Amino acid sequence: MKKNNRSLLAMALVCAMGLSACGSDGEDGKDGAPGTPGTPGTPGTPGAPAGATVDTVTTAADFMLTLQPADIVVVGADDFTIKFTATGKNSKGDDVPFTGLDKVALYVTNLVANDTDTGAPMLWSNNALVNEFGSSMYCTPTGKATARGGAEVDACTLVEDAENPGTYMGSWEHDGNAPVVSADGDPNSLFRVMVRTYNVTDATGVGIGDKLLSTPLDFTPATGELAVSTKDSVSNAACIQCHSELTGYGEGDMRIANIGAHHNYQKVENCITCHNPAYAGGQDDPEKGFNANWNAMIHTIHAGGVLAEDGLLVGDALDEFAGVHFPAELSECTTCHDNGTQWNDNIYAEACLSCHMNVDLATGENHRGIIPGSDAACSGCHGAGSLSPMVAHNVGGRDKVSDAFAFDFTSAVVTATADPAVSTLTVMANVTLNGAAVADGTDFSEYMTSTRRGLLIGNLDADGTPTRGLGMSVISDVVSLSGGVLTVAKDFDATRLMGPIYVTAEVQVCAEGDMVVKCTTNTDGDIEQLGVANSAPIKYFNLSDPTAATVIARMDDPDRVTVSEAQCNTCHGNLTHVKGTHGATEFTQCMDCHNNTWYGSFHGDVAYDTGEVDADGDPIFANVPGLTFSNRDLVTVAHRFHSGSWDGGGIYFDKNMETVGYPALATDCQACHKEGAKLFAADGGLTSGKRAIKVSATEYISPIAESCRSCHIQGSALAHFESNGSYVEGSPATTADLPVESCATCHAEGKTYGVDKVHMGGGH
């Protein structure tokens, strides 16, 4: 009853209010007439189409922050301002505005003239450091930031333009002007601005691995024009020669991929932001053993291995830099200094003493007793002539005498002896010394850095595979030297003296300037001159049929060799330096020893740094149990050495089995391999045609697996190789006629896990 009464009462109230649900006749349940339509509302603003902006990126190279000189105030009395745009790649690969930035850091430096008589003529000055604020200034939406160590610091206020997503403005809302402004700076000098962006992730929320750094902007504030620094004597391209390139950035925006310090600031222009006199002035501590100013520090780092061996590094420097073994010649300044001649023209102690650390200019020790009053006095002796950096360091020395000692092989013939099992091989060559026919009766040993070197001669299989063993001495095997013609002869097993052979030489000699000279030694017994290689273009002869078609060595065929001497020399400068007294400059010389037919290894074990030291403080190395190599093949030896799978040296494994000392990215195959080179042939084997590597007098292993094992040393990798048809160390075959491994099925170029995808790139 109560429910029904309430329902009737509600209906009466509704009718009394004139609602259309109650008809005029009072009947229940019938719709009334439609009401008058209301006034349409104001249309809403259309939303941005999908993908028009992004707030995540896949890689650091997908993010770009762009600055313009007109949008930056960092000098003078005007208030600090900055405006920049940020873009990221969307799913289609288009560059679209990047929204939601919540933290960036500004680094501002400028070039100032050095008005003292100490140091370089022009110096980098970091505005924030000069203003005693630190090395950079943060910008956040709140105008506050948390610095390293957890302290809250003032920051510029960062605002995104609501009308233009991806456009950001920064201003200083605290007392005074922003710390990146140089109040007394010269607006007509070059200023450099770089921005680091924080807290950017990929679509899954994982932070981007590489630093997000803008391309440094060099400009002149007074004119608003872009500028070019005349101080930058080392380009990023020079560093990339050894340290790999971080790929994915725009043309002309070269970035270094593999610098361990501070997790890589990618460019020389970025490094000088902190490593300049303002920072170094507080860091130049004798106990550290180095000066943190860029020019001094970078010399000390790259000379670290040599300086440590000489006992010149101390303190932190010894710990940090002793393991750095510069892969080229320290005296070849142009290996790094590839942008102008400032390194030769500007003479001052700071740069020189970073390598010549045993020189004491205050006392004249190791400086001929000379005590220069200031850097200005240095140019008096070192500004030109024999004591200038160019001449004193003999820059380009090996190139100057590349053809000064040359062999031109003209014939190779076989004659029988009284013993039918033995025959005599006689080789003749035209020889020139310093551009003239070598004098009759010249004793080559007087010019040689090692009398063990000589002619490299061996047999060639039909496919160009070398077998060494017919080499001769240019001292003990000389028959005659007359009229510039050298004749050498030696007896060999008659079965070796037939068919195609190769002839070349690796005679390293002493040189001064652009001349080959007789060697002299110092009081320690060390040769005083520069060791240079001979010139000996490889020649081919057929001992059985001189008219037969020429067989060339596999390593002399560009279509079968995926690396080049030029690639090696980008980092090493020259192969002669790498191989000590060997005097080798070409793979055709290296192949005499480093081939797939001469088994055994002088470096069969693999050592690692245990992390412990002996009584003298030297690191203790131990062999990796069960890991050995039994071949000298050039491919595996080169891979092994550069990966650290060696028995000690400049590149090695630490206690965590991580590679120490290799400057490039481990996966950057193009650091050595020619661009576009294909490692796999159509049949799935190697492009070289090599199908087996000899590891004992009767045993052979598979070449692809052995190349990969140089880096992939885990036991699981070995099992993987075997499961794919490879014969490996410890489980060899007894024939050289091995089946092609199935590695190419997954790892050939173009495959999902092809070497071109997982190894060839220089970027992260």
Side-chain angles (χ1 to χ4, degrees), residues 120-121 230-234 295 299 331-349 351-352 375 378-396 400:
T230 59
K231 182 174 173 60
D232 297 336
S233 64
V234 176
N295 51 8
H299 284 165
S331 60
E332 284 290 343
C333 306
T334 54
T335 298
C336 299
H337 291 284
D338 63 341
N339 191 22
T341 60
Q342 306 93 316
W343 59 273
N344 183 68
D345 303 336
N346 300 331
I347 310 299
Y348 54 97
C352 300
D375 283 354
C378 296
S379 294
C381 291
H382 299 285
S386 62
L387 295 180
S388 67
M390 175 75 77
V391 180
H393 290 171
N394 196 19
V395 174
K400 296 173 186 175

Side-chain angles (χ1 to χ4, degrees), residues 68-234:
Q68 297 297 333
D71 298 326
I72 305 169
V73 175
V74 288
V75 62
D78 291 341
D79 290 340
F80 160 80
T81 61
I82 191 168
K83 183 172 76 172
F84 59 85
T85 60
T87 63
K89 291 190 181 300
N90 62 15
S91 59
K92 296 180 179 179
D94 298 327
D95 291 315
V96 298
F98 189 100
T99 64
L101 292 184
D102 62 5
K103 185 179 182 181
V104 300
L106 271 61
Y107 296 78
V108 183
T109 54
N110 71 104
L111 270 179
V112 298
N114 184 0
D115 57 4
T116 73
D117 58 4
T118 301
M122 298 295 293
L123 304 174
W124 288 110
S125 176
N126 181 309
N127 292 4
L129 282 171
V130 170
N131 291 327
E132 299 182 348
F133 188 78
S135 60
S136 64
M137 177 185 73
Y138 293 118
C139 290
T140 68
T142 64
K144 292 286 187 179
T146 301
R148 286 186 299 178
E152 185 179 68
V153 296
D154 290 340
C156 96
T157 301
L158 186 68
V159 177
E160 184 174 4
D161 188 343
E163 300 298 323
N164 297 285
T167 297
Y168 298 83
M169 286 80 69
S171 60
W172 186 252
E173 306 296 336
H174 309 285
D175 292 339
N177 210 344
V180 293
V181 175
S182 176
D184 300 325
D186 181 2
N188 291 295
S189 68
L190 180 147
F191 277 69
R192 175 174 290 168
V193 177
M194 182 266 290
V195 181
R196 178 182 177 184
T197 303
Y198 295 83
N199 304 333
V200 174
T201 70
D202 62 19
T204 66
V206 176
I208 301 302
D210 291 310
K211 282 183 169 66
L212 275 66
L213 304 173
S214 68
T215 303
L217 178 70
D218 289 0
F219 68 103
T220 305
T223 63
E225 296 177 349
L226 298 178
V228 176
S229 168
T230 59
K231 182 174 173 60
D232 297 336
S233 64
V234 176

